[in-house]
Amino acid sequence: MTMERHPPPPISLPNVTDLSPLLLGFLDEHFSTHQDLSLNASLLSSSLSQQCSELDAQLGNLQNDVTKRAVSWISRSFLAKSALDELNRNMQNLSLRISRHGVGSKKFQKVLNEDLPRLAKELNRIESIRSYVETALQLEALVGDLEDAALFVMACRPGNLFSKRISDWSVSMDSARKHDKLLQAIKAMNDIEQVLETVVKFHSHWHSIVRSVDNRVDKILASLRPQVFSDHRALLASLGWPPKLLTSNVGNGQITCIPNPLVLMQEEKRRSYSESFIALCALQHLQRRREDRQHNFVKQKKHNMQLWAIDELVSPIASRMEHHFANWIEQPEYIFALVYKVSKDFITGVDDVLQPLIDRARLISCSAKEAWVFAMVQVLSCFLEKRIFSLLADRYKVKLMKLDAISSWLRLIDLIVAFDKQMQSLVNLDTGIFLIESEKIDGLSRGISVLTIFCNRLDWLRLWAKIEFKNAWKKLKVELKEEKMWMIDNKSTSGFDRDLDSVHRILSTVEDHRAPPIVEVFLKIVWEMTERCQTMPSIISRARFIRSTAGKFLWCFFKILLLRFKTTELHPDDPDEDAIVRICGLVNAARYIQTKLREWGDSLEFLELKIAENESSKPIEDDAMDSSSFYSEEIRSLSEMEINWLMEIIAAILRQFELVSWEYVENKDHFEQDQDDKNIVGLTQAIDLTVSTDFVEALDALKSWLRVVRINLNSKDFSDLWRSLADGLDHYISRSFATNEICFSCKGIHQFEADMQALLFVFQPFCARPQAFFPCIKEILKLLKLKKEEVKQLQAVLSNGENRARCLRPHGISHLSVNQVAQVLRNRNFASAITRG
């Protein structure tokens, strides 16, 4: 009899309604059939058991830690309770003493003066303890939350929790939980930082608690940060980053367009990348906040262009670019072309994809474009510093390779200057429209420059300045060989008799400096050297470079001007017209260079340089001229040269006038001849005397020299020159006629007036009232025209010896001395009038 086979009893499963949706999904995923149950149950069970044991161990450690800390805080609580009980007893004793002894007793005064201050001090101490305990408990809770979240992030690694057969759904769920825990950890660190900032601000003596918390947070960050970066890099690799650099037509410096994986991301990948990007930004913001607090930095309003998440994009692509850089060391223009092409191709995608993420991360004033371009420039700067500039610096030290090194250096700087402008053009300044004005002044893209290399290498900065200076001097020497470069162009001058009130003068707004062409060439070279370093981020480095190049070049040109003046022979006894013209050219050059240096110095760029120099060295004296200008010393030196050369011209003309007019001044017959039948008024009305013959030659020479100077000298200096010349002539003539013992007759007075009118006529083209610039001659004529009674009255006043100078003022005499007035009055001849009387 055969036994009947029965099927095995069905597996008893729990009620489906008792399970959570998450657990149901997990079971459906791994145990869809009976065969899956037999194959995977043991493996899954062992894995879950291992994880549970690890979690139980961690939980036990946390429980022990909490117990120890609770005991510690309980002991502190007992101490606080004892202190409060003691305070309560003291208060009761105080109340009894006051009621027993009264307000005015000595014991009450002792309580008021001793016990109450001690009590207040005790209350403050207790309040401080209470605040300390509350802060410590708050920090302990926050650090605990941080440690829990960080431990989960570091322990939760997709693919390690389960076997390889675990589905993408499970991995995605674990990744989401990991990201949530990471955000919790970052939030806990931000909360901790907020509490510590308050502690540092209001309780700076709580060093222990701050140091203890910082040490614990630093340990957590040291483990958490590498994990976050590793996960972010793995995510980038899964996106296909970095892309391949397709370099066709390299010989022509052209690179084909590069696809941007950031733009090609699918929805799920885009979400994962966005979360990772924001987490990195938040972690970086936290790091900067902690550094500001730990180093007691004053928070800068200007934002930092460097972003970790952008650097993670640039780092892998930089390693691929450097492979091509190594092949183009002798052709650096291809290196610059590749970096610019990659930067340009990706910048639109970077801005469209990453800028919204930065905004979501609430990183104020951070620009994805700027961070991207800044990182790319840093890649190029590092390569140039390590592989090219170091090589050129070594070659410069070798005599046979020096010229080649200089040529390559200058060529490389040309490429850098052009590249910086290209890269800065990629950054739209519209990202900074909400920034304060002081940030706009410095320029948002100031730090985007390869010239950053020289900010940290002062030896290379000095070498670059030396090369630039030698190259500039080489250019100038070629121009100095041409004498025509020193010639003044007088085509724009309409002539000596040009009316100063003409329409041309009234409408003119640009001063005609009449500087020789060599000055324009020189200033162009100076400005080119100045512009070479404009994108250098460090103000101090820019100032050093400009001082070593443009500043040094200015002083060399000043020496050329001085040498040219010394080789110009200007004899006071017989001045040469060519010599006068040559000195006028030097004066014009000095004046024009001053004008340009002041114009440059007024710009914000040079004001920054001056302020930086003053902060790094001792300030200039307050009374120094142009002390606020970057080129104050150069302007001061030019002004001195200009004044000295003008004085040389004035002295030569005055000396020549004195020699030619010597006979006129010494010939007393012109002024001592008398007239029998005319008084002074009659002479003035009836006699038409001409200019003295021996004075005509002096006036003609004066007019000739003024014409030469006016044609060749700039208008500003010519205006100063003729005024100084008039002042010198006024003193010379007044002194000569006041001290030569000339007895002026009526006719002599009229002749002297006619001669002086001729002198004023020489200066008539320069102003409407030239007599205003000859005050001494004007006053001599006024004294000579006084009547006899007025002369006697004035002589009587002067003979008193008291306040003689003040007595002259009512008569309009303020420029002549008392002795000169007395001499003129003594020399007045009234002999003919006495005879007729």
Side-chain angles (χ1 to χ4, degrees):
M1 184 175 176
T2 61
M3 295 182 63
E4 184 179 358
R5 275 187 162 181
H6 298 283
I11 298 176
S12 178
L13 295 176
N15 192 359
V16 176
T17 58
D18 297 336
L19 299 178
S20 65
L22 181 64
L23 185 58
L24 285 175
F26 176 78
L27 293 175
D28 291 340
E29 184 70 23
H30 293 86
F31 302 106
S32 58
T33 63
H34 287 280
Q35 187 177 5
D36 291 337
L37 180 63
S38 60
L39 293 175
N40 298 333
S42 59
L43 182 62
L44 180 60
S45 176
S46 60
S47 177
L48 291 175
S49 299
Q50 182 179 356
Q51 293 296 323
C52 289
S53 60
E54 292 178 357
L55 292 174
D56 289 338
Q58 293 177 6
L59 181 60
N61 293 333
L62 290 174
Q63 289 176 345
N64 293 332
D65 188 55
V66 170
T67 301
K68 292 178 181 179
R69 296 183 185 277
V71 171
S72 175
W73 292 119
I74 288 172
S75 62
R76 295 185 183 182
S77 177
F78 286 154
L79 293 175
K81 184 177 183 300
S82 300
L84 289 174
D85 292 340
E86 180 67 21
L87 175 62
N88 187 25
R89 287 193 297 271
N90 290 335
M91 292 296 292
Q92 292 176 357
N93 294 333
L94 177 61
S95 177
L96 291 174
R97 290 177 183 178
I98 293 175
S99 62
R100 184 182 303 171
H101 299 285
V103 177
S105 64
K106 293 182 179 179
K107 290 186 177 181
F108 177 76
Q109 294 297 329
K110 178 178 179 296
V111 170
L112 188 64
N113 296 330
E114 298 179 7
D115 293 347
L116 283 180
R118 186 168 60 252
L119 179 61
K121 184 178 180 180
E122 185 68 17
L123 287 174
N124 289 333
R125 188 180 69 83
I126 294 173
E127 177 62 23
S128 178
I129 293 174
R130 184 192 64 79
S131 177
Y132 185 89
V133 170
E134 289 181 354
T135 303
L137 289 174
Q138 183 182 9
L139 287 173
E140 180 63 32
L142 290 174
V143 173
D145 294 341
L146 171 61
E147 290 174 342
D148 291 342
L151 286 174
F152 183 89
V153 172
M154 290 181 285
C156 182
R157 297 184 181 181
N160 294 336
L161 290 175
F162 309 111
S163 65
K164 295 182 180 181
R165 296 178 60 90
I166 297 177
S167 67
D168 292 339
W169 178 85
S170 179
V171 173
S172 177
M173 291 294 295
D174 190 73
S175 177
R177 293 183 62 193
K178 182 177 181 180
H179 179 71
D180 291 340
K181 288 294 183 179
L182 176 60
L183 294 182
Q184 291 178 16
I186 294 174
K187 182 181 183 303
M189 283 187 283
N190 275 307
D191 293 340
I192 292 170
E193 195 58 34
Q194 185 173 358
V195 175
L196 291 181
E197 287 174 354
T198 304
V199 170
V200 171
K201 184 176 181 180
F202 297 104
H203 307 284
S204 57
H205 57 286
W206 292 358
H207 303 293
S208 299
I209 190 172
V210 174
R211 191 183 309 112
S212 175
V213 173
D214 273 342
N215 290 336
R216 293 175 66 181
V217 174
D218 286 338
K219 291 179 181 179
I220 296 171
L221 279 175
S223 301
L224 182 63
R225 191 164 46 228
Q227 180 65 38
V228 174
F229 275 93
S230 177
D231 293 345
H232 188 78
R233 289 165 188 163
L235 179 58
L236 284 175
S238 68
L239 298 176
W241 190 273
K244 294 182 179 180
L245 302 181
L246 306 177
T247 56
S248 61
N249 299 324
V250 172
N252 297 326
Q254 299 177 355
I255 306 169
T256 57
C257 184
I258 306 171
N260 190 347
L262 297 177
V263 180
L264 303 177
M265 287 188 296
Q266 299 297 325
E267 184 62 31
E268 186 64 26
K269 292 289 186 181
R270 182 182 296 273
R271 183 187 60 80
S272 299
Y273 179 76
S274 300
E275 292 175 350
S276 181
F277 186 94
I278 293 175
L280 268 184
C281 291
L283 198 62
Q284 182 179 8
H285 175 71
L286 171 68
Q287 182 69 19
R288 290 177 183 171
R289 186 177 177 184
R290 298 186 76 244
E291 290 176 353
D292 289 341
R293 190 256 309 163
Q294 290 174 347
H295 298 88
N296 197 23
F297 287 161
V298 177
K299 294 185 179 181
Q300 300 290 334
K301 292 182 179 179
K302 182 180 176 182
H303 67 280
N304 191 340
M305 286 182 287
Q306 186 177 8
L307 287 175
W308 290 350
I310 300 292
D311 291 342
E312 289 303 313
L313 289 174
V314 173
S315 180
I317 205 171
S319 60
R320 293 195 176 184
M321 286 195 298
E322 289 179 359
H323 170 73
H324 302 285
F325 292 169
N327 300 325
W328 296 336
I329 292 180
E330 299 300 328
Q331 297 173 308
E333 60 271 14
Y334 295 156
I335 297 176
F336 288 92
L338 177 60
V339 176
Y340 176 70
K341 182 65 176 177
V342 173
S343 303
K344 183 179 179 181
D345 286 349
F346 284 99
I347 194 167
T348 302
V350 165
D351 189 47
D352 294 342
V353 177
L354 303 185
Q355 188 61 48
L357 301 181
I358 293 175
D359 296 338
R360 283 175 56 189
R362 297 181 181 179
L363 296 182
I364 301 174
S365 299
C366 284
S367 168
K369 283 185 178 181
E370 288 182 9
W372 169 257
V373 175
F374 176 78
M376 295 298 292
V377 169
Q378 290 297 107
V379 169
L380 178 59
S381 300
C382 293
F383 180 82
L384 293 178
E385 181 178 0
K386 294 178 182 178
R387 299 292 300 275
I388 298 184
F389 274 111
S390 57
L391 179 63
L392 293 178
D394 294 336
R395 287 182 182 178
Y396 184 83
K397 299 176 183 178
V398 181
K399 187 175 181 180
L400 296 178
M401 305 178 69
K402 192 170 186 178
L403 292 178
D404 180 64
I406 291 175
S407 176
S408 299
W409 191 291
L410 292 173
R411 179 188 173 202
L412 191 59
I413 294 296
D414 290 337
L415 292 172
I416 290 175
V417 171
F419 175 78
D420 282 348
K421 292 179 180 178
Q422 285 182 320
M423 296 299 283
Q424 291 176 3
S425 67
L426 293 178
V427 181
N428 288 329
L429 293 181
D430 56 2
T431 56
I433 57 177
F434 297 109
L435 300 181
I436 62 175
E437 193 66 25
S438 60
E439 291 176 343
K440 295 181 182 180
I441 291 174
D442 187 58
L444 293 176
S445 56
R446 169 70 75 182
I448 301 176
S449 174
V450 181
L451 296 181
T452 309
I453 297 172
F454 298 100
C455 296
N456 301 321
R457 294 295 303 266
L458 294 181
D459 54 338
W460 288 0
L461 184 66
R462 288 190 291 266
L463 178 57
W464 177 27
K466 187 176 182 180
I467 291 174
E468 289 288 350
F469 176 79
K470 288 184 176 181
N471 184 58
W473 181 247
K474 183 179 178 181
K475 293 178 182 178
L476 186 64
K477 283 178 66 177
V478 176
E479 303 295 340
L480 289 174
K481 295 178 181 179
E482 299 290 337
E483 185 64 26
K484 65 180 181 180
M485 296 298 293
W486 292 96
M487 303 297 294
I488 301 175
D489 184 11
N490 293 321
K491 295 179 180 180
S492 60
T493 305
S494 59
F496 178 71
D497 297 324
R498 180 179 58 186
D499 183 5
L500 294 183
D501 294 330
S502 64
V503 177
H504 173 77
R505 277 283 174 167
I506 294 175
L507 298 180
S508 177
T509 57
V510 180
E511 188 176 11
D512 181 14
H513 295 279
R514 301 180 195 173
I518 189 66
V519 177
E520 283 290 349
V521 175
F522 163 73
L523 290 174
K524 181 181 178 183
I525 296 174
V526 171
W527 185 247
E528 286 176 351
M529 284 190 292
T530 303
E531 281 192 316
R532 301 277 272 179
C533 66
Q534 289 307 297
T535 58
M536 191 180 295
S538 171
I539 298 178
I540 295 298
S541 298
R542 292 204 308 273
R544 287 173 178 169
F545 178 81
I546 294 175
R547 289 295 186 198
S548 301
T549 54
K552 185 178 178 182
F553 198 60
L554 282 168
W555 289 109
C556 288
F557 191 73
F558 297 168
K559 292 180 180 179
I560 294 175
L561 295 179
L562 287 171
L563 181 62
R564 189 170 179 84
F565 172 76
K566 291 179 180 180
T567 57
T568 303
E569 297 181 359
L570 183 63
H571 300 287
D573 297 338
D574 186 20
D576 181 21
E577 181 176 333
D578 292 337
I580 293 287
V581 172
R582 191 170 183 177
I583 296 177
C584 285
L586 297 177
V587 174
N588 294 343
R591 165 65 62 175
Y592 185 60
I593 295 174
Q594 281 185 75
T595 302
K596 297 304 291 185
L597 292 183
R598 286 193 175 96
E599 179 184 326
W600 296 345
D602 290 339
S603 65
L604 291 174
E605 177 69 27
F606 282 93
L607 287 176
E608 274 187 344
L609 298 177
K610 185 62 179 179
I611 293 172
E613 280 192 333
N614 288 343
E615 290 177 351
S616 61
S617 61
K618 62 180 181 179
I620 299 176
E621 292 78 5
D622 294 337
D623 57 348
M625 182 180 62
D626 292 301
S627 61
S628 61
S629 173
F630 182 77
Y631 287 116
S632 57
E633 291 295 329
E634 290 82 354
I635 293 174
R636 190 158 38 242
S637 179
L638 283 169
S639 180
E640 292 176 359
M641 288 190 292
E642 179 187 5
I643 293 173
N644 292 336
W645 296 338
L646 283 174
M647 293 306 297
E648 289 289 337
I649 298 175
I650 293 170
I653 295 176
L654 287 176
R655 177 59 178 166
Q656 182 69 8
F657 183 87
E658 182 180 354
L659 291 175
V660 178
S661 64
W662 183 83
E663 293 184 2
Y664 168 75
V665 174
E666 294 296 326
N667 189 355
K668 300 180 181 181
D669 296 339
H670 293 294
F671 313 107
E672 295 181 348
Q673 294 178 2
D674 203 357
Q675 192 74 17
D676 295 334
D677 56 352
K678 302 290 182 182
N679 56 23
I680 296 178
V681 179
L683 275 173
T684 305
Q685 295 175 350
I687 299 177
D688 185 14
L689 295 178
T690 60
V691 181
S692 301
T693 305
D694 47 4
F695 194 53
V696 172
E697 183 180 357
L699 295 178
D700 186 63
L702 177 63
K703 185 175 181 179
S704 177
W705 288 122
L706 284 173
R707 182 180 187 278
V708 172
V709 174
R710 186 182 182 190
I711 291 175
N712 294 279
L713 194 63
N714 68 84
S715 58
K716 176 63 174 64
D717 282 322
F718 177 74
S719 179
D720 295 338
L721 182 140
W722 76 256
R723 284 176 169 82
S724 299
L725 192 59
D727 183 68
L729 292 172
D730 184 50
H731 283 83
Y732 164 67
I733 294 175
S734 62
R735 186 177 64 252
S736 299
F737 282 91
T739 58
N740 277 1
E741 298 294 337
I742 301 175
C743 296
F744 283 92
S745 64
C746 295
K747 181 180 178 181
I749 294 172
H750 187 64
Q751 183 64 58
F752 179 69
E753 184 177 13
D755 294 339
M756 294 304 101
Q757 288 295 334
L759 176 63
L760 296 178
F761 182 76
V762 175
F763 291 88
Q764 188 69 47
F766 315 139
C767 66
R769 296 180 66 255
Q771 59 269 24
F773 297 94
F774 293 88
C776 294
I777 295 176
K778 180 181 177 181
E779 291 178 2
I780 289 177
L781 286 170
K782 184 180 294 185
L783 291 173
L784 291 175
K785 291 182 180 182
L786 291 176
K787 295 179 181 180
K788 187 175 182 179
E789 293 77 10
E790 294 176 331
V791 171
K792 289 182 179 182
Q793 181 182 1
L794 188 56
Q795 287 177 332
V797 173
L798 294 177
S799 63
N800 291 333
E802 296 180 1
N803 298 326
R804 295 186 297 174
R806 184 180 299 177
C807 296
L808 296 175
R809 293 177 184 174
H811 297 276
I813 308 300
S814 59
H815 292 83
L816 294 176
S817 65
V818 174
N819 293 332
Q820 286 177 322
V821 171
Q823 185 69 32
V824 171
L825 294 177
R826 280 198 305 270
N827 292 340
R828 178 67 176 92
N829 184 6
F830 293 97
S832 60
I834 295 173
T835 301
R836 291 192 301 272

